[in-house]
Amino acid sequence: MSKRDDIVTAAVDVFSRYGFRQTSMELVARAAGVSRPALYQHFANKQDVFAAVAARVTDVMTDAAHRARDAGGTPADQVYGVLSVKLETAIGVAEARFRQELVSEAAAMGLSSTEDRLVDALVDALSEVPEPRETAELLLASTVGIGQSDGTPEALRHRLRRLVDLVLGGLDTASHQRS
């Protein structure tokens, strides 16, 4: 792993613990075990570090979503697997009080490709339902809401599974009624 990769790995934890506004280049440098001048050899500023962190998180989430989608099982299992990637990230990556700040900052910087990639993975899993892109976008938005709600991780996972079962069950029932 390169020094730049080590810094990004350390920065994921720093942004998760302190949010975007409270994170400083000094905190990132300390967490990565490098001097501030060494940090500036790899990154121009905090936004540059944050963009690298966002790219890393996006890649990790996308890979996990594709593995979940390709793991087999019922379409509901595949959809739940992809959405679980988003939910687990919401539960585990950042402290609750900083989640929205980090998402907002990423969107403001134009770094919101994670949702697009997750929607694409969901569309593949939802290929048999009417309007798979719209369904994928609605399910992903609902997952974000579940991730921001109160409850234990187990309760949030249960809510997500219930949502997937209700939506896909409803779509299956509707398609059988039209036949």
Side-chain angles (χ1 to χ4, degrees):
M1 196 185 274
S2 72
K3 182 51 76 178
R4 188 177 201 284
D5 289 335
D6 292 343
I7 293 168
V8 172
T9 299
V12 169
D13 183 56
V14 174
F15 281 111
S16 296
R17 288 194 352 226
Y18 298 102
F20 182 81
R21 286 184 216 110
Q22 292 180 16
T23 292
S24 66
M25 292 295 271
E26 178 64 33
L27 283 172
V28 172
R30 214 175 316 145
V34 299
S35 66
R36 279 186 44 202
L39 177 60
Y40 282 106
Q41 289 177 352
H42 298 278
F43 298 97
N45 53 39
K46 179 170 71 169
Q47 289 79 4
D48 196 20
V49 176
F50 186 70
V53 166
R56 165 85 54 88
V57 170
T58 295
D59 289 345
V60 167
M61 287 178 67
T62 301
D63 291 346
H66 288 165
R67 282 192 309 277
R69 181 200 61 209
D70 298 339
T74 67
D77 292 337
Q78 293 172 3
V79 169
Y80 176 79
V82 172
L83 293 172
S84 290
V85 170
K86 179 68 173 176
L87 182 63
E88 294 302 325
T89 301
I91 292 170
V93 169
E95 287 191 25
R97 61 192 170 135
F98 296 126
R99 283 183 204 135
Q100 188 56 45
E101 176 191 333
L102 293 170
V103 169
S104 296
E105 191 61 38
M109 292 173 67
L111 305 173
S112 57
S113 67
T114 303
E115 272 68 25
D116 294 337
R117 290 186 189 182
L118 291 177
V119 165
D120 290 342
L122 285 167
V123 167
D124 290 344
L126 292 166
S127 62
E128 300 298 316
V129 304
E131 301 183 42
R133 181 155 298 277
E134 181 181 24
T135 303
E137 290 169 349
L138 288 168
L139 284 167
L140 188 60
S142 298
T143 302
V144 171
I146 291 170
Q148 293 174 347
S149 65
D150 290 332
T152 65
E154 294 77 27
L156 300 180
R157 289 181 194 108
H158 176 75
R159 287 179 195 151
L160 177 60
R161 186 65 210 207
R162 182 89 172 112
L163 170 71
V164 169
D165 291 344
L166 286 170
V167 169
L168 293 184
L171 288 171
D172 188 46
T173 300
S175 71
H176 281 97
Q177 288 176 347
R178 279 186 244 138
S179 301

